[in-house]
Amino acid sequence: MLAKDLLRNDTDRVRELLATRGDDGSLLDRWLALDQERREILGEVEDQKRRRNEASKEIGRLKREGGDAESIMIEVGELKKKISTHETRLSELETELDSATLNLPNLPHESVPRGADENANRVERQVGEPTSFDFEPKAHWDLGPELGILDFERGARVAGARFTASFGAGARLERALISFMLDLHTTEHGYREVLPPFMVNAAAMTGTGQLPKFEEDAFKVSPHGYYLIPTAEVPVTNLHAGEILDEADLPIRYAAWTPCFRAEAGSYGKDVRGLIRQHQFNKVELVHLTSQDTSYEALEELTGNAERVLQVLELPYRTVTLSTGDMGFSAAKTYDLEVWLPGQNAYREISSCSNCEAFQARRANLRYRPTDGGKPCFLHTLNGSGLAIGRTVVAILENFQQADGSVEVPEVLRSFMGTDRITAEN
RNA sequence: GGAGGGGUGGCAGAGUGGUCGAAUGCACCGGUCUUGAAAACCGGCGAGCCUUCACGGGUUCCGCGGGUUCGAAUCCCGCCCCCUCCGCCA
């Protein structure tokens, strides 16, 4: 949600920035018209309420003193009708205004490259070199089943397409990665671990921006009205919704493991093989709640924390700044981490780290009181994957595969795995 | 799922139709006193929206949404959440 002041007073700039995201500005125009009408009617109705309140006090006084309140009561009766008419219109306007407001995306930060799609993304750095092999590397969708650790058919049998069952060392690798990442972030990067609900209500989904616009991307739990979380960002960012925090307690930094559930509507035919695009996957998520003037330093820090995971696992990757046209709805700036996948001979997204500035905070009513004692102001929220577990499994299988079809276990995972090699036997 | 109790400002907790955005205490901020601190005393101290250059003014908010009334924290209806007990259950 964008600030009203900004929409009203800096309309041209907002329009221009929305255009960089591919927005045609019609929603903005609608918002402006609704806002204008709302303010006119609000002025009138509040004036009438003031008169009503005065008259009610007068009635009370007259009755106490045994006087005649009849004529004033008639006046109030008339006022009530007018107020009621206006309020009906006001509530219509406010419903429409809310809808317009909730459907406007965030504005990009000035450092974000402008462009229509991923072709305008900017590569910031590349760490490590694409893994080289003296044999033809396999894709994980061949390696996994051959090792007996990934079973796409049986996953589909019990659920459907885009669900997978992991067995033996594959299941243990997921668990090892979760523990390894949480340990790294909590003991070395200063995060507080949190285990949030895996289902949330509509208010939480609205707070972080998944609703109302992207309802079809979510799994809704009928008939309860809950949603399966698409990312831990949703429950964790909303944890402090409605609170007014002390600036002294900021930044708040959470690390959370959760499964994530995505309907993947509109992605039919994409990434149909393997673990890349699933309806359910594990992820360790990092969330920062910061003051308004520290969020961009925090974004660098958060991104660095996620990169560290790849570095320690010795996986080659690059860091990319998403262009205005490629960013998500709530983000003002996003870095994607793309890991090298030999089986696909390409860099693929494994983490997405965003600063949402006050966009989500306005929706979820996340505020803090400045240390100088001023009025409460909105937090800045940031989130990033640290990392997506399923895709990390893919990256490890493909980058650490050996000529004999086994997979070496990265050094730092060996204590978690209890072995240094994944073979068909385990 | 059933029965009962409860949701009031940062916290605790009064308030059962008008003078209540709301006592009191704690916390917090400023001041007096003190070498300093504590204590004591004095004063201040919720949020949203509209309006104003500003000072200020108006309006709304006592879990949420409706209703009754000239007037609702207070009465009525629906919903949500929390607590206790019962049932079910990992």
Side-chain angles (χ1 to χ4, degrees):
Chain A
M1 178 187 301
L2 301 171
K4 285 182 187 178
D5 287 358
L6 191 70
L7 296 177
R8 283 174 192 154
N9 304 327
D10 216 350
T11 310
D12 292 340
R13 192 168 70 89
V14 172
R15 190 183 303 281
E16 197 245 328
L17 287 172
L18 285 175
T20 70
R21 306 198 48 150
D23 185 286
D24 68 4
S26 58
L27 201 54
L28 176 61
D29 290 331
R30 195 168 127 73
W31 188 92
L32 290 165
L34 290 165
D35 180 57
Q36 181 64 32
E37 188 184 351
R38 171 177 175 268
R39 283 194 282 172
E40 281 165 15
I41 293 180
L42 191 63
E44 281 183 57
V45 77
E46 290 196 346
D47 206 47
Q48 288 162 343
K49 282 184 177 175
R50 179 180 53 75
R51 290 215 299 279
R52 181 197 62 190
N53 291 344
E54 285 165 1
S56 288
K57 280 188 182 154
E58 182 67 5
I59 290 166
R61 191 182 62 77
L62 284 169
K63 289 203 165 173
R64 247 191 330 278
E65 293 170 0
D68 177 16
E70 195 59 33
S71 64
I72 301 187
M73 286 175 73
I74 290 169
E75 187 203 336
V76 171
E78 293 299 316
L79 270 176
K80 278 181 64 172
K81 283 181 208 156
K82 291 182 191 166
I83 290 172
S84 161
T85 306
H86 279 143
E87 291 209 311
T88 303
R89 179 63 188 146
L90 262 188
S91 80
E92 286 168 11
L93 283 169
E94 278 165 7
T95 303
E96 292 182 55
L97 209 44
D98 282 350
S99 160
T101 308
L102 291 174
N103 281 291
L104 283 168
N106 203 355
L107 302 178
H109 187 255
E110 59 186 7
S111 65
V112 173
R114 297 192 178 197
D117 52 36
E118 68 272 15
N119 294 315
N121 294 351
R122 183 207 301 142
V123 177
E124 302 292 345
R125 53 190 166 269
Q126 178 188 319
V127 178
E129 291 297 325
T131 315
S132 56
F133 296 88
D134 49 17
F135 59 95
E136 187 61 33
K138 294 175 179 169
H140 71 281
W141 53 73
D142 291 325
L143 268 172
E146 283 166 22
L147 287 165
I149 61 173
L150 295 181
D151 193 326
F152 302 108
E153 281 77 20
R154 291 195 174 92
R157 182 182 300 161
V158 295
R162 301 199 166 179
F163 288 94
T164 301
S166 295
F167 288 84
R172 183 153 183 177
L173 182 55
E174 291 259 342
R175 179 160 58 89
L177 284 167
I178 292 164
S179 294
F180 157 68
M181 291 183 201
L182 283 174
D183 285 356
L184 181 71
H185 294 309
T186 56
T187 64
E188 294 189 29
H189 298 155
Y191 287 81
R192 178 153 202 233
E193 185 171 342
V194 54
L195 183 64
F198 297 166
M199 289 192 264
V200 293
N201 55 33
M205 291 285 277
T206 305
T208 31
Q210 282 74 21
L211 291 182
K213 203 172 175 186
F214 306 103
E215 169 125 42
E216 70 281 3
D217 291 336
F219 283 113
K220 190 169 185 174
V221 182
S222 297
H224 309 283
Y226 295 127
Y227 293 85
L228 295 179
I229 57 170
T231 159
E233 168 195 347
V234 178
V236 175
T237 305
N238 280 287
L239 244 21
H240 297 285
E243 298 183 25
I244 301 178
L245 304 167
D246 285 329
E247 185 173 11
D249 294 332
L250 302 178
I252 293 176
R253 302 168 8 123
Y254 290 122
W257 155 73
T258 70
C260 303
F261 302 91
R262 299 190 182 176
E264 295 294 349
S267 67
Y268 300 107
K270 269 191 203 165
D271 306 317
V272 288
R273 301 192 73 183
L275 283 184
I276 295 292
R277 194 174 300 277
Q278 295 275 295
H279 284 313
Q280 175 189 321
F281 59 96
N282 286 300
K283 181 156 59 69
V284 168
E285 183 77 356
L286 306 175
V287 169
H288 289 210
L289 305 179
T290 77
S291 63
Q292 302 197 334
D293 42 354
T294 58
S295 64
Y296 279 94
E297 297 156 43
L299 178 62
E300 298 304 319
E301 206 179 309
L302 188 157
T303 308
N305 297 150
E307 287 185 44
R308 178 93 193 290
V309 178
L310 289 163
Q311 290 160 12
V312 174
L313 288 172
E314 299 178 84
L315 289 167
Y317 71 95
R318 63 181 190 182
T319 304
V320 168
T321 305
L322 297 191
S323 75
T324 52
D326 201 27
M327 272 196 304
F329 182 75
S330 299
K333 182 172 187 178
T334 299
Y335 292 119
D336 268 10
L337 306 186
E338 300 179 337
V339 70
W340 177 253
L341 295 184
Q344 294 157 65
N345 205 41
Y347 284 101
R348 292 299 303 260
E349 176 188 346
I350 194 167
S351 169
S352 194
C353 304
S354 301
N355 183 359
C356 298
E357 298 187 3
F359 186 84
Q360 295 178 324
R362 281 191 202 93
R363 292 172 160 249
N365 202 217
L366 293 160
R367 291 177 294 174
Y368 68 98
R369 193 176 297 282
T371 309
D372 66 19
K375 298 206 101 190
C377 42
F378 290 111
L379 293 163
H380 279 193
T381 62
L382 301 92
N383 62 79
S385 353
L387 308 165
I389 303 292
R391 291 188 181 181
T392 307
V393 168
V394 171
I396 288 172
L397 294 182
E398 295 194 1
N399 281 284
F400 285 83
Q401 62 181 297
Q402 308 296 308
D404 64 1
S406 69
V407 174
E408 189 188 343
V409 174
E411 190 76 40
V412 292
L413 291 181
R414 290 180 186 173
S415 58
F416 293 95
M417 285 295 289
T419 181
D420 57 6
R421 186 168 296 260
I422 298 172
T423 65
E425 282 75 51
N426 56 27

